[in-house]
Amino acid sequence: MKKRFAAALGLLLFAALLSGCGAEEEPFLQKTYMAEETVRAVCIDVRDREIEVTRSADGQTRLLYSENSKEYYHFTLEDGTLTVQAAGDKTWTDYIGAKSSANRKLELQIPDGQLEELRLATTNENLTLQDLTVAGGVTLESNGGDIAFARLDVGASLTVSSKNGDVTGAVVGSIDEFALESAVKKGESTLPERTEGGEKTLRVSANNGDVDIVFVEE
């Protein structure tokens, strides 16, 4: 009797799961956040979101994103610092079935050379930056995705942390300009473990991924 009851309960749970998989996901709306004042620092800390950073064509700082009532974002702009965090109102059934990564992409557009600080962190997705100049420091973190940047020019520091993903990019300047610390586990690296004497700092850590960073002229 107990076995028949357990089997029936299992069938009911399985039917509920199938019903959840068949339910349509609420549509995402494409939106744009436009900063109403000059932005000097940007901090984005999210999960399961792809982040792409591009140059702003008109000198404005904006973020292109998609959201619905279950997955949305909080924006805080205070004293020139823009903070972006993901939020949501989901139940366990909302996690059943495949999710479209296209709806979870953030495109940050920033004026070249205006930011004093840029901090980006995500998981299970890639983090990419176009040719950019940041007056101060840049911090890039990803767990489960690749980090890639093209001709990144920093005024003070660059910190890169990756787990289960590769790091590729080009840093503007010579290696002599940087005090460098590099720690790579379970992967190959083009960087030495340590150099001293540079006015800028470059810190790179990677676990289970390769690091290919080169230095290029301005």
Side-chain angles (χ1 to χ4, degrees):
M1 186 69 179
K2 292 183 178 179
K3 290 182 179 180
R4 287 198 297 269
F5 177 78
L9 182 60
L11 288 174
L12 288 174
L13 290 174
F14 182 69
L17 288 175
L18 289 179
S19 175
C21 290
E24 292 185 2
E25 184 179 26
E26 180 183 345
F28 282 77
L29 298 178
Q30 295 182 350
K31 297 184 178 182
T32 300
Y33 172 87
M34 180 79 73
E36 298 180 353
E37 62 184 73
T38 300
V39 176
R40 298 298 181 187
V42 175
C43 178
I44 299 177
D45 189 353
V46 292
R47 299 293 178 268
D48 303 324
R49 265 75 170 180
E50 177 186 356
I51 302 176
E52 180 181 7
V53 185
T54 63
R55 287 187 182 185
S56 172
D58 58 5
Q60 299 293 318
T61 299
R62 64 172 57 83
L63 187 70
L64 282 61
Y65 63 102
S66 299
E67 67 178 7
N68 60 20
S69 65
K70 293 184 178 293
E71 295 185 49
Y72 45 89
Y73 298 90
H74 290 312
F75 300 90
T76 304
L77 180 54
E78 185 175 356
D79 297 329
T81 298
L82 173 62
T83 302
V84 181
Q85 293 179 312
D89 183 17
K90 302 175 69 173
T91 63
W92 68 271
T93 57
D94 293 315
Y95 293 92
I96 300 174
K99 302 298 182 181
S100 172
S101 61
N103 293 323
R104 294 166 179 82
K105 178 179 178 179
L106 300 175
E107 181 181 341
L108 174 66
Q109 299 179 357
I110 57 176
D112 195 43
Q114 177 175 291
L115 289 189
E116 297 174 1
E117 183 177 14
L118 177 63
R119 300 178 63 90
L120 306 174
T122 190
T123 65
N124 302 318
E125 286 289 353
N126 296 333
L127 195 165
T128 60
L129 296 86
Q130 290 186 353
D131 296 11
L132 291 170
T133 299
V134 176
V138 175
T139 301
L140 308 174
E141 300 179 15
S142 179
N143 185 343
D146 296 334
I147 297 176
F149 49 90
R151 293 187 62 85
L152 185 56
D153 189 356
V154 297
S157 64
L158 173 59
T159 302
V160 182
S161 177
S162 173
K163 186 176 181 180
N164 300 319
D166 297 331
V167 177
T168 58
V171 177
V172 175
S174 69
I175 192 173
D176 296 332
E177 298 177 40
F178 292 86
L180 187 153
E181 296 180 8
S182 175
V184 179
K185 298 179 181 179
K186 300 179 182 179
E188 302 294 329
S189 176
T190 60
L191 297 176
E193 292 185 358
R194 179 182 296 272
T195 64
E196 299 179 357
E199 296 182 357
K200 303 178 185 181
T201 60
L202 173 60
R203 297 185 178 91
V204 179
S205 63
N207 190 341
N208 196 28
D210 297 331
V211 173
D212 184 4
I213 294 178
V214 298
F215 295 86
V216 297
E217 298 181 356
E218 297 183 14

